[in-house]
């Protein structure tokens, strides 16, 4: 059996187990083609490391190695002649959490207003970007989830987000103000005459891609002074998801630890996370949260905390 055939079996197994396995499959198949061209019938650590390192990004090279180690371990379970490359052969990953930009409601409003000035004037496009920013800000949706929404996903109870990052579907409940904004946008959208059933549409009659949505958001952030020139850090579309998570915790009235746990579980479910630990990544120590913590600590110290 060739390395390509091994790789095809491995990819098929991953997808059968429920993984989308898109980018990892490209890595595994890319290596398999390289190994087959060099007539490698078995995984050779040196060849894996050499191939994985042939990329301009150190981070991506390490990701290549990580994916191929899993492939090699799977093959070695069948035949010990396959070698498993060392885990840190290309160095230890140093993942540093970037400081998120927590946007205020006023800043989000500026972005939404600026979207209305986008070209082409007099079309649905400016309204689509304005609504998309508001939608992500008020629901914490991922950008891919927003652009994938269809008219059939709108229900009386909220928006159905179907088979997303973890192949899970969920119901996103809308605040009454968000529901009103949705209804106003649909009225404008229905005048386009497009046969496409995506909720978000551009003047072309097609939905925006998630990359285009992010690109336009960055331009709007620069235009409104929230972000510097190219290459400088600043808010991005994903910052709206961070902001939603932080604000959701700020507004919660949590008298005890059990309430905190229940609230975090609810927030994790609403955001579509596979584990509540993933939600902690999105939380940031805002002044409001720090004041709440300080007040709770003072009450506990003076004996006025609820028992």
């Amino acid at each position: 059996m060739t390395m390509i055939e091994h790789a095809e079996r491995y990819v098929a197994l991953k997808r059968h187990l429920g993984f989308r396995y898109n980018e990892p499959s490209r890595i595994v198949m890319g290596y398999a083609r390289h190994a087959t061209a060099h007539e490698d019938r078995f995984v050779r650590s040196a060849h894996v490391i050499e191939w994985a390192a042939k990329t301009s990004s150190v981070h991506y090279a390490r990701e290549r190695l990580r994916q191929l180690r899993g492939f090699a371990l799977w093959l070695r379970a069948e035949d010990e002649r396959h070698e498993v490359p060392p885990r840190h052969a290309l160095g230890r990953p140093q993942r540093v959490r970037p400081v998120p930009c927590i946007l205020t409601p006023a800043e989000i409003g500026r972005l939404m207003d600026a979207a209305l000035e986008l070209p082409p004037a007099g079309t649905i496009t400016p309204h689509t970007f304005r609504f998309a920013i508001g939608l992500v800000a008020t629901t914490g949706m991922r950008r891919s989830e927003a652009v994938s929404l269809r008219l059939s996903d709108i229900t009386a109870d909220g928006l159905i987000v179907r088979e997303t990052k973890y192949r899970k579907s969920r119901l996103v409940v809308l605040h009454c103000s968000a529901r009103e904004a949705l209804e106003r946008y649909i009225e404008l959208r229905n005048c386009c005459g497009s046969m496409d059933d995506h909720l978000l549409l551009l003047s072309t009659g097609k939905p925006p891609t998630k990359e285009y949505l992010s690109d336009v958001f960055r331009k709007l952030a620069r235009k409104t002074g929230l972000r510097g020139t190219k290459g400088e850090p600043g808010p991005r579309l994903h910052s709206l998801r961070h902001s939603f998570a932080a604000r959701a915790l700020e507004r919660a009235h949590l008298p005890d630890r059990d309430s905190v746990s229940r609230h975090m579980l609810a927030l994790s479910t609403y955001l579509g996370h596979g584990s509540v630990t993933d939600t902690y990544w999105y939380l940031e120590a805002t002044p409001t949260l720090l004041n709440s913590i300080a007040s709770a600590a003072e009450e506990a110290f003076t004996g006025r905390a609820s028992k």
Side-chain angles (χ1 to χ4, degrees):
M1 187 175 291
T2 67
M3 194 64 69
I4 290 178
E5 291 172 326
H6 284 312
E8 289 173 343
R9 287 195 303 128
Y10 182 68
V11 170
L13 173 63
K14 285 287 188 178
R15 289 176 173 164
H16 179 72
L17 292 173
F19 297 96
R20 289 190 176 182
Y21 213 66
N22 293 331
E23 180 57 30
S25 72
R26 286 190 281 271
I27 293 173
V28 172
M29 294 305 302
Y31 164 73
R33 287 189 290 270
H34 171 80
T36 300
H38 287 76
E39 300 182 349
D40 286 349
R41 293 182 56 241
F42 303 99
V43 175
R44 294 290 174 253
S45 292
H47 291 177
V48 170
I49 296 169
E50 178 186 11
W51 183 84
K54 288 182 178 178
T55 177
S56 59
S57 168
V58 174
H59 172 76
Y60 189 55
R62 289 170 181 163
E63 177 60 18
R64 278 179 156 189
L65 179 61
R66 188 177 75 87
Q67 295 295 340
L68 293 176
R69 281 195 82 253
F71 178 49
L73 285 165
W74 179 73
L75 285 175
R76 187 172 173 80
E78 295 182 342
D79 191 327
E80 292 187 352
R81 286 175 290 182
H82 292 286
E83 298 175 1
V84 178
R87 185 187 303 273
H88 302 302
L90 296 176
R92 292 180 177 274
Q94 296 180 342
R95 189 183 185 191
V96 179
R97 177 181 182 267
V99 178
C101 295
I102 305 300
L103 296 168
T104 66
E107 289 170 336
I108 295 171
R110 282 161 54 190
L111 290 164
M112 293 175 67
D113 290 341
L116 289 178
E117 300 175 10
L118 290 169
T123 69
I124 190 65
T125 294
H127 298 281
T128 293
F129 282 107
R130 182 180 192 275
F131 175 72
I133 292 171
L135 181 66
V136 175
T138 55
T139 63
M141 279 188 187
R142 302 178 179 93
R143 58 178 187 167
S144 59
E145 295 172 346
V147 299
S148 297
L149 285 171
R150 296 178 180 272
L151 294 176
S152 57
D153 295 328
I154 302 172
T155 72
D157 297 317
L159 298 175
I160 299 176
V161 180
R162 303 183 187 277
E163 294 192 13
T164 59
K165 188 174 181 180
Y166 300 99
R167 291 216 171 176
K168 295 167 62 178
S169 297
R170 70 185 190 280
L171 176 68
V172 174
V173 180
L174 299 177
H175 186 269
C176 58
S177 60
R179 171 69 71 172
E180 291 170 1
L182 172 63
E183 292 173 353
R184 290 194 300 269
Y185 174 72
I186 290 177
E187 287 182 10
L188 293 170
R189 182 202 173 283
N190 288 343
C191 295
C192 296
S194 174
M195 298 300 292
D196 195 301
D197 68 340
H198 280 88
L199 173 61
L200 300 180
L201 289 182
L202 300 178
S203 58
T204 59
K206 299 295 182 182
T209 64
K210 61 181 182 180
E211 292 81 11
Y212 187 47
L213 199 61
S214 291
D215 184 53
V216 170
F217 182 89
R218 283 191 295 270
K219 292 177 180 177
L220 292 173
R222 293 190 184 101
K223 182 178 180 180
T224 54
L226 297 175
R227 189 182 179 99
T229 58
K230 287 186 177 181
E232 294 184 10
R236 52 198 181 103
L237 186 62
H238 204 64
S239 299
L240 296 176
R241 186 166 162 87
H242 276 280
S243 301
F244 173 84
R247 302 302 179 208
L249 195 58
E250 281 181 357
R251 295 179 182 181
H253 299 286
L254 308 174
D256 52 48
R257 287 187 177 182
D258 289 340
S259 296
V260 172
S261 297
R262 288 193 297 269
H263 182 76
M264 287 301 300
L265 180 58
L267 179 59
S268 180
T269 302
Y270 192 84
L271 289 172
H273 285 149
S275 169
V276 71
T277 56
D278 297 332
T279 309
Y280 297 142
W281 180 267
Y282 284 83
L283 302 180
E284 185 69 10
T286 64
T288 301
L289 283 176
L290 291 176
N291 285 334
S292 298
I293 293 170
S295 298
E298 182 180 0
E299 289 181 0
F301 181 75
T302 58
R304 290 184 287 110
S306 59
K307 297 181 181 180

